């Protein structure tokens, strides 16, 4: 009976759709002036075509085409493109609707310089053909069941005019969508940076857990209770309220169901796979001249996780302070300082990623929209959903011009100024207690170097000039003018010989005693 009912409903809906769409299609076919190739008005909803090019020539100009099912499969997209490209004309727009299917997160991230859409854009933009690429953001695995809208967040890269043309066609299927840059490669960079920020913030919370356990003697439930307190509104205004902090709190409470002893987190093997996505920021920071010490430190911390045997051997030979040698701490004060430290560290993590994004865009002559990245990363169900990111987005949006770094935004700069002493106390306690905190300490180093007008690079250049005479530039002279100093008497004698035209080193005469 159920099958018959479903069949009856399907037949009814089919007839209604056929009647409605058939009538609509017939009206459109009769009114359109672009009919050619002997096409005749049809009362059917669909027009059969044996080849893909036949479909393209029947689409009304300017064409708006979306290609599905080709995410992480450039060969498949290129095959489709080679069939439709000859029929495309000026003003047409092609959207690669990426990652509508489920898949592994890391393996499906593509490097921006390998984007096939970007490569095709360089050729077809001159012909007036616009290409867009859209990638779906990863969401919490339970979001699709609790909030269907949370699983529909997409980032788009490509010409702004083309995005405005296609956006009405995305609206019925996509809840959150935004243009993050004027090139298709921008979506790949934004997605890699999102993945990087997730790992770095997770590492910061892991270091906080380690400090509370080793320096303050907290057990799992104490740490979980502290995380939960930070995640709620309180004296600190809930500045760390986030999806990740809520998840971290619940992880600390989860007991092991296999052994019936202890907690799950204690049975997780210390291994971590490093992919091209993880090394993107490290390599790009060197290539584009953007310092990212905090992100690099978080990556190196993961590398140390894969050195379990080496660390066990080193722990037996490299002794650390314990007992009376470690400082005593006030638990409440330490937790308050740690909360502020993690907050400041997260600001630095975002600052490093967005500064690198802007540097790549400047080199490639793209326009990027940092505000849209913040908004899309902060949707419900996102790994980065947080109160901090919302405040960051509002502070960034209130500025008329994009700052060199989000750390220079007035609201965020004032918070860093108010909290940096708590940050320093946390790092001091960790160093004195022999608790490694690479991410928190590297972020503080970034903060101090960012605000230091004069750095000691003069010593490094002087050392090189002392050794090889390669020279240096003076800050009281025009840029590009090279100077070199005679640091010792031997240097002076050498310069005097060069002035006389002596290019060969002096011959050392043998003494009589040597004979």
């Amino acid at each position: 009976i159920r099958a018959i009912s479903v069949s009856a409903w399907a037949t009814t809906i089919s007839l209604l759709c056929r009647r409605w769409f058939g009538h609509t299609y017939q009206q459109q076919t009769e009114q359109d002036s672009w009919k050619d190739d002997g096409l005749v008005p049809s009362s059917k909803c669909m027009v059969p075509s044996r080849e893909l090019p036949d479909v393209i020539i029947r689409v009304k100009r300017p064409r708006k085409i979306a290609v599905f099912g080709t995410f992480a499969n450039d060969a498949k997209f290129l095959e489709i493109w080679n069939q439709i490209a000859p029929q495309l004309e000026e003003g047409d727009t092609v959207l690669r609707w990426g990652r509508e299917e489920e898949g592994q997160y890391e393996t499906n991230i593509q490097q921006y310089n390998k984007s096939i859409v970007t490569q095709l854009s360089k050729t077809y933009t001159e012909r007036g053909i616009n290409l867009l690429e859209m990638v779906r953001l990863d969401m919490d695995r339970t979001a699709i069941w609790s909030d269907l809208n949370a699983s529909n967040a997409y980032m788009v890269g490509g010409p702004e005019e083309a995005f405005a043309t296609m956006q009405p066609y995305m609206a019925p299927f996509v809840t959150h969508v935004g243009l993050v840059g004027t090139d298709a490669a921008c979506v790949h960079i934004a997605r890699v940076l999102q993945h990087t920020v997730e790992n770095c913030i997770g590492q910061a919370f892991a270091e906080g857990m380690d400090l509370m356990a080793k320096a303050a003697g907290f057990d799992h439930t104490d740490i979980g209770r502290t995380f939960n307190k930070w995640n709620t509104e309180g004296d600190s205004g809930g500045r760390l309220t986030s999806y990740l902090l809520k998840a971290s709190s619940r992880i600390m409470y989860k007991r092991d169901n296999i052994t019936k002893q202890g907690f799950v987190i204690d049975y997780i093997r210390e291994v971590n796979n490093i992919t091209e996505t993880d090394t993107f920021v490290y390599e790009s920071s060197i290539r584009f001249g953007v310092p990212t010490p905090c992100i690099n430190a978080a990556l190196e911390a993961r590398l140390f996780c894969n050195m379990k045997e080496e660390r066990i051997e080193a722990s037996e030979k490299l002794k650390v302070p314990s007992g009376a040698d470690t400082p005593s701490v006030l638990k409440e004060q330490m937790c308050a300082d740690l909360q502020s430290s993690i907050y400041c560290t997260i600001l630095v993590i975002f600052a490093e990623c967005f500064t690198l994004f802007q540097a790549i865009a400047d080199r490639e002559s793209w326009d990027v929209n940092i505000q849209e990245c913040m908004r899309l990363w902060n949707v419900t169900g996102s790994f980065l959903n947080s109160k901090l990111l919302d405040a960051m987005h509002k502070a960034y949006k209130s500025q008329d011009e994009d700052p060199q770094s989000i750390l220079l935004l007035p609201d965020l700069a004032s918070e860093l100024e108010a909290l940096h002493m708590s940050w320093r106390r946390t790092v001091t306690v960790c160093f004195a207690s022999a608790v490694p905190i690479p991410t928190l300490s590297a972020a503080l180093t970034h903060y101090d170097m960012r605000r230091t007008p004069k750095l000691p690079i003069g010593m490094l250049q002087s050392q090189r000039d002392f050794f090889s005479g390669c020279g240096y530039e003076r800050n009281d002279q025009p840029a590009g003018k090279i100077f070199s100093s005679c640091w010792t008497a031997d240097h002076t004698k050498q310069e005097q010989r060069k002035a006389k035209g002596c290019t060969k080193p002096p011959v050392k005469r043998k003494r009589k005693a040597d004979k």
Side-chain angles (χ1 to χ4, degrees):
I1 295 175
R2 183 179 304 168
I4 295 174
S5 301
V6 172
S7 177
W9 274 108
T11 304
T12 304
I13 294 174
S14 176
L15 292 174
L16 289 174
C17 291
R18 187 173 180 181
R19 183 181 183 89
W20 169 256
F21 286 112
H23 178 66
T24 304
Y25 181 84
Q26 182 177 5
Q27 288 183 332
Q28 178 181 351
T29 321
E30 293 172 351
Q31 293 174 3
D32 289 337
S33 60
W34 50 270
K35 300 189 296 293
D36 54 7
D37 296 338
L39 292 179
V40 296
S42 173
S43 61
K44 297 181 179 180
C45 179
M46 309 294 289
V47 176
S49 299
R50 288 186 172 86
E51 301 292 341
L52 186 56
D54 295 338
V55 179
I56 303 303
I57 63 175
R58 287 167 168 78
V59 179
K60 185 177 180 179
R61 281 74 162 175
R63 302 178 179 93
K64 306 169 190 67
I65 304 170
V67 181
F68 294 85
T70 65
F71 180 78
N73 192 343
D74 286 346
K76 185 177 180 180
F77 178 79
L78 193 59
E79 179 184 357
I80 296 174
W81 176 262
N82 290 335
Q83 296 182 59
I84 67 176
Q87 283 74 37
L88 297 179
E89 302 173 359
E90 183 177 356
D92 293 347
T93 300
V94 178
L95 168 67
R96 185 183 186 184
W97 193 301
R99 202 164 181 270
E100 67 277 358
E101 69 279 5
E102 293 295 332
Q104 292 296 322
Y105 185 77
E106 290 83 356
T107 57
N108 280 344
I109 292 182
Q110 185 180 45
Q111 296 299 318
Y112 81 96
N113 54 0
K114 299 178 182 178
S115 170
I116 188 64
V117 177
T118 296
Q119 298 173 18
L120 293 173
S121 298
K122 296 177 180 179
T123 302
Y124 287 90
T125 301
E126 299 176 356
R127 293 173 47 184
I129 300 173
N130 301 312
L131 285 92
L132 297 169
E133 183 148 17
M134 183 165 70
V135 175
R136 182 172 62 84
L137 295 174
D138 287 87
M139 295 292 166
D140 177 78
R141 58 179 176 173
T142 61
I144 190 173
W145 305 108
S146 58
D147 184 3
L148 294 178
N149 293 332
S151 61
N152 289 324
Y154 287 83
M155 295 185 296
V156 181
E160 188 173 356
E161 299 80 7
F163 173 72
T165 300
M166 294 295 292
Q167 191 172 11
Y169 300 92
M170 305 177 194
F173 311 100
V174 178
T175 306
H176 306 283
V177 63
L179 185 71
V180 298
T182 56
D183 191 274
C186 294
V187 296
H188 297 288
I189 299 176
R191 191 155 174 261
V192 170
L193 292 180
Q194 180 196 18
H195 181 70
T196 300
V197 172
E198 292 170 359
N199 285 334
C200 292
I201 297 178
Q203 176 65 26
F205 281 117
E207 292 174 10
M209 176 199 70
D210 200 33
L211 174 61
M212 286 187 281
K214 294 179 179 178
F218 280 18
D219 59 19
H220 293 69
T221 55
D222 292 333
I223 298 173
R225 191 179 302 111
T226 303
F227 282 162
N228 186 58
K229 181 180 178 181
W230 291 354
N231 196 52
T232 57
E233 298 289 343
D235 296 337
S236 62
R239 62 168 64 102
L240 281 180
T241 301
S242 61
Y243 166 88
L244 182 57
L245 187 56
K246 180 180 179 180
S248 301
S249 174
R250 294 188 176 183
I251 288 171
M252 297 306 301
Y253 285 110
K254 183 63 176 178
R255 293 188 174 274
D256 185 48
N257 293 326
I258 297 178
T259 62
K260 306 300 181 182
Q261 296 179 357
F263 297 82
V264 173
I265 192 171
D266 295 328
Y267 291 93
I268 299 177
R269 189 183 301 275
E270 296 181 39
V271 293
N272 207 303
N273 296 325
I274 305 298
T275 65
E276 290 185 3
T277 303
D278 300 309
T279 60
F280 169 80
V281 172
Y282 179 82
E283 296 172 353
S284 299
S285 64
I286 299 174
R287 179 182 175 187
F288 294 96
V290 178
T292 56
C294 183
I295 295 174
N296 297 345
L299 174 62
E300 291 166 358
R302 295 170 61 192
L303 294 176
F304 270 106
C305 289
N306 296 329
M307 301 171 57
K308 180 69 173 180
E309 296 180 359
E310 291 90 336
R311 288 186 285 115
I312 293 176
E313 181 180 357
S315 65
E316 299 175 354
K317 300 179 180 180
L318 304 176
K319 301 300 181 180
V320 297
S322 60
D325 297 330
T326 58
S328 57
V329 296
L330 298 175
K331 296 182 179 181
E332 293 296 330
Q333 180 64 47
M334 191 203 71
C335 290
D337 289 343
L338 179 58
Q339 181 184 16
S340 300
S341 304
I342 295 177
Y343 179 82
C344 296
T345 299
I346 295 175
L347 286 177
V348 173
I349 292 170
F350 277 110
E352 291 183 354
C353 282
F354 289 139
T355 303
L356 178 61
F357 196 4
Q358 189 63 58
I360 298 175
D362 293 342
R363 179 78 62 87
E364 301 288 350
S365 299
W366 301 331
D367 290 331
V368 294
N369 194 336
I370 302 298
Q371 293 184 36
E372 278 299 276
C373 286
M374 294 180 181
R375 183 183 70 86
L376 293 171
W377 290 356
N378 198 36
V379 298
T380 304
S382 170
F383 198 88
L384 297 180
N385 178 243
S386 63
K387 186 177 179 179
L388 169 58
L389 192 53
D390 183 56
M392 195 185 306
H393 178 254
K394 292 179 180 178
Y396 198 97
K397 191 176 181 179
S398 64
Q399 300 299 306
D400 296 331
E401 297 182 358
D402 295 341
Q404 295 180 352
S405 171
I406 62 171
L407 300 181
L408 303 181
L409 293 172
D411 294 342
L412 302 183
S414 61
E415 286 190 299
L416 288 170
E417 184 178 359
L419 299 175
H420 76 97
M421 287 308 299
S422 298
W423 199 359
R424 299 182 192 283
R425 286 194 294 269
T426 298
V427 173
T428 301
V429 169
C430 289
F431 285 168
S433 303
V435 178
I437 50 164
T439 307
L440 298 180
S441 58
L444 181 58
T445 299
H446 177 120
Y447 173 76
D448 284 335
M449 296 193 74
R450 167 73 67 175
R451 65 177 189 82
T452 301
K454 184 176 178 59
L455 295 173
I457 189 65
M459 172 59 73
L460 178 61
Q461 295 181 346
S462 300
Q463 292 168 347
R464 300 308 304 175
D465 184 61
F466 186 99
F467 176 76
S468 62
C470 58
Y472 51 85
E473 296 184 35
R474 293 178 60 92
N475 53 27
D476 58 351
Q477 298 294 327
K481 190 175 182 180
I482 304 300
F483 295 83
S484 183
S485 295
C486 296
W487 302 94
T488 66
D490 290 337
H491 293 159
T492 303
K493 292 178 181 179
Q494 183 185 23
E495 292 300 321
Q496 292 174 350
R497 289 180 59 83
K498 288 182 179 180
K500 294 178 181 180
C502 299
T503 58
K504 296 182 179 181
V507 179
K508 184 177 180 181
R509 296 180 179 180
K510 294 183 178 181
R511 296 178 298 176
K512 293 182 178 181
D514 296 335
K515 294 181 180 179

